[in-house]
């Protein structure tokens, strides 16, 4: 597909989560959503994208993962000192701030006014430009557009100060919702004081934590043709997409995770490569599942049925693979085999 013909990667997952509060609203309650006339458990796309980005940093083995921070001046300054150790830290901070300002990034008190997303390679080039005294806005902005990190390309970058620095996201991540109705519950807890005396037997602290448990439908997609245009190298594109799927499967938002230890993995995974358009299968759960014997089996069954039902509306996927879906034609033995099959298929399509 060297002529930039559209190619989309769809990723669907069913994942059960025990009592937990992995994504809270402003009151501390687990996030929810109304869908199909009932209240569903919800995990925001931002929450899971953050977990995916952290997985990139921890397990990606790549040297061009993005950094998003207000401390972008200090980050560039550290790069400047790494390049030229004779430059003092204070001088490096001034050089970094002036260069960022010249590029159109606003700062105050040596910090960006808003979170700024930059790749390691972009930071290196900007640091070198600062040392060389480059002041051309056009040249500096070119440095901030070239060599985007895989997570900047996937999730995008918005710069309110100068839209020319914006980077369109090549992926979309849906808010995960439960396949069934949920009710928020409350855990009343007490903590004892280790130094309390026999005359002071009461609790040293007490309180409540809200939580729920759910079986989630998760979905994300990547416009592979757009991602390929941003990254530029086919091998990097394929490896990054494999990492994206692996991170989608193995990452977990960390909200209250020490309290609940909700360290689960998906029970089912479905991957599709399409040339017409990305398709979410969330409509399988518009009618909430009702059960007193668990939700996973029925959720997987509905996912399979919805996949078959949707085929009457759209083109058949070029390739489809699954894990944990025994009735599905492309079911694989393990995640490594699935990722290998996906790599083989991607290379076949991108070479054509």
């Amino acid at each position: 597909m060297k002529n930039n013909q559209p190619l989309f990667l769809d990723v669907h997952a069913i994942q059960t989560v025990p009592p937990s509060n992995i994504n809270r609203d402003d009151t501390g309650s687990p996030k929810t959503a109304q869908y199909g006339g009932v209240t569903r458990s919800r995990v925001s796309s931002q929450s899971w994208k953050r977990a995916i980005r952290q997985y990139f940093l921890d397990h990606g083995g790549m040297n061009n993962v993005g950094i998003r921070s207000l401390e972008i001046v200090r980050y560039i300054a550290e790069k400047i000192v790494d390049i030229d150790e004779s430059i003092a830290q204070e001088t490096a901070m001034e050089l970094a701030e002036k260069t960022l300002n010249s590029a159109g990034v606003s700062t105050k008190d040596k910090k960006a006014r808003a979170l700024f997303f930059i790749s390691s390679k972009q930071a290196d080039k900007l640091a070198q430009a600062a040392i060389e005294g480059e002041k051309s806005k056009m040249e500096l902005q070119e440095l901030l557009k070239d060599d985007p990190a895989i997570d900047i390309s996937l999730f995008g970058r918005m710069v309110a100060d100068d839209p020319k620095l914006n980077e369109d996201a090549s992926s979309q991540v849906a808010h995960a919702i439960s396949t069934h109705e949920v009710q928020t519950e409350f855990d009343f807890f007490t903590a004892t004081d280790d130094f309390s005396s026999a005359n002071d037997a009461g609790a040293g602290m007490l309180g409540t934590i809200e939580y729920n448990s759910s079986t989630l439908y998760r979905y994300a997609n990547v416009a592979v043709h757009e991602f390929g245009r941003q990254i530029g190298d086919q091998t990097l594109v394929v490896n990054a997409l494999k990492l994206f799927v692996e991170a989608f499967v193995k990452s977990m938002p960390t909200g209250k995770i020490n309290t609940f230890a909700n360290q689960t993995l998906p029970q089912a995974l479905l991957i599709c490569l399409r040339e017409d358009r990305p398709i979410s299968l969330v409509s399988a759960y518009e009618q909430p599942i009702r059960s007193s014997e668990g939700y996973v089996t029925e959720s997987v069954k509905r996912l399979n049925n919805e996949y078959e039902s949707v085929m009457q509306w759209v083109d058949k996927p070029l390739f489809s693979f699954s894990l944990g879906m025994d009735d599905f034609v492309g079911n694989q033995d393990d995640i490594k085999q699935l990722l290998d099959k996906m790599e083989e298929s991607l290379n076949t399509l991108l070479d054509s």
Side-chain angles (χ1 to χ4, degrees), residues 99 101-104 126 129 134-146 162 164-165:
T99 303
N101 294 161
S102 297
L126 208 63
E134 178 64 65
K135 295 181 180 180
S136 168
K137 184 175 183 178
M138 182 179 297
E139 292 295 328
L140 293 173
Q141 288 192 340
E142 279 299 311
L143 298 180
L144 287 172
K145 295 287 286 183
D146 292 340
D162 194 332
K164 290 181 181 178
L165 294 175

Side-chain angles (χ1 to χ4, degrees), residues 275-300:
E275 61 181 350
D276 49 355
R277 52 157 293 174
I279 298 171
S280 168
L281 300 177
V282 69
S283 50
Y285 311 106
E286 194 275 338
Q287 181 178 348
I289 296 174
R290 305 185 189 280
S291 173
S292 60
E293 298 180 349
Y295 300 102
V296 172
T297 300
E298 181 62 23
S299 295
V300 175

